[in-house]
């Protein structure tokens, strides 16, 4: 969208966008070595509805073909589309599920696409990086890549 990314998001060399990290005391070499040796659970979360999804999702809900869906997505495509009000509600609901299942208690790292809708969804679900004890990392390769659309 037209809005600026949060102040903790900054460009880095190459195709990676860096984000502020947790307090350095949390990220000592010993801590990282211990964390790396422990089994990990990975949770995947899709961003909430974005402004470029609205019409295509309505078509899909009415039973359109895959070609019709993609054609509508192409027509409405927008680089870095913002979340809709529904998208923010979806992110809040996901955050409530994260809280209800106490998933955030074991979070060590939040990895997110640099698209604003993904960053906003992550913040709504897991808290702002300056308010939580785990780092957020934005990675360019997590951007949507499907060969048709620019986002």
């Amino acid at each position: 969208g037209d809005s600026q990314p949060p102040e903790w998001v900054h460009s880095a060399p190459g195709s990676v966008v860096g984000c502020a990290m947790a307090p350095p005391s949390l990220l000592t070499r010993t801590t990282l070595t211990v964390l790396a040796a422990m089994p990990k659970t990975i949770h995947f979360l899709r961003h909430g509805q974005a402004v470029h999804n609205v019409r295509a999702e309505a078509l899909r809900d009415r039973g359109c073909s895959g070609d019709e869906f993609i054609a509508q997505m192409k027509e409405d495509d927008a680089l870095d589309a913002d979340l809709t009000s529904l998208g923010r509600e979806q992110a809040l609901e996901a955050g409530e599920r994260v809280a209800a299942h106490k998933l955030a208690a074991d979070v060590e790292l939040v990895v997110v696409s640099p698209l604003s809708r993904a960053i906003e969804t992550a913040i709504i679900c897991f808290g702002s990086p300056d308010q939580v004890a785990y780092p957020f990392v934005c990675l360019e390769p997590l951007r949507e890549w499907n060969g048709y659309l620019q986002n």
Side-chain angles (χ1 to χ4, degrees):
D2 294 330
S3 60
Q4 294 291 337
E7 60 192 40
W8 52 268
V9 176
H10 61 277
S11 296
S15 62
V16 175
V17 174
C19 299
M21 299 295 283
S25 60
L26 179 68
L27 299 175
T28 65
R29 181 179 296 281
T30 302
T31 301
L32 291 174
T33 301
V34 169
L35 291 175
M38 298 171 61
K40 305 292 183 232
T41 300
I42 300 174
H43 301 280
F44 291 92
L45 177 66
R46 183 185 185 270
H47 61 77
Q49 181 191 61
V51 296
H52 72 306
N53 299 130
V54 176
R55 295 190 321 161
E57 288 178 359
L59 278 176
R60 183 194 57 213
D61 292 346
R62 290 193 303 268
C64 74
S65 71
D67 289 340
E68 290 171 308
F69 179 80
I70 291 297
Q72 187 66 62
M73 288 295 293
K74 285 181 182 179
E75 185 177 325
D76 294 345
D77 195 23
L79 183 63
D80 203 15
D82 289 327
L83 290 177
T84 62
S85 295
L86 175 60
R88 287 182 186 88
E89 289 175 29
Q90 292 167 334
L92 283 169
E93 290 170 7
E96 290 168 0
R97 287 192 300 276
V98 165
H101 295 285
K102 298 180 179 28
L103 300 177
D106 296 325
V107 170
E108 297 172 16
L109 176 68
V110 174
V111 182
V112 64
S113 159
L115 295 172
S116 60
R117 61 186 173 269
I119 294 169
E120 186 176 359
T121 298
I123 289 170
I124 291 170
C125 286
F126 295 102
S128 180
D130 57 351
Q131 298 172 340
V132 295
Y134 39 82
F136 278 55
V137 177
C138 298
L139 297 176
E140 181 66 26
L142 296 180
R143 175 187 297 271
E144 293 179 26
W145 299 96
N146 64 19
Y148 293 113
L149 309 172
Q150 61 178 323
N151 65 75

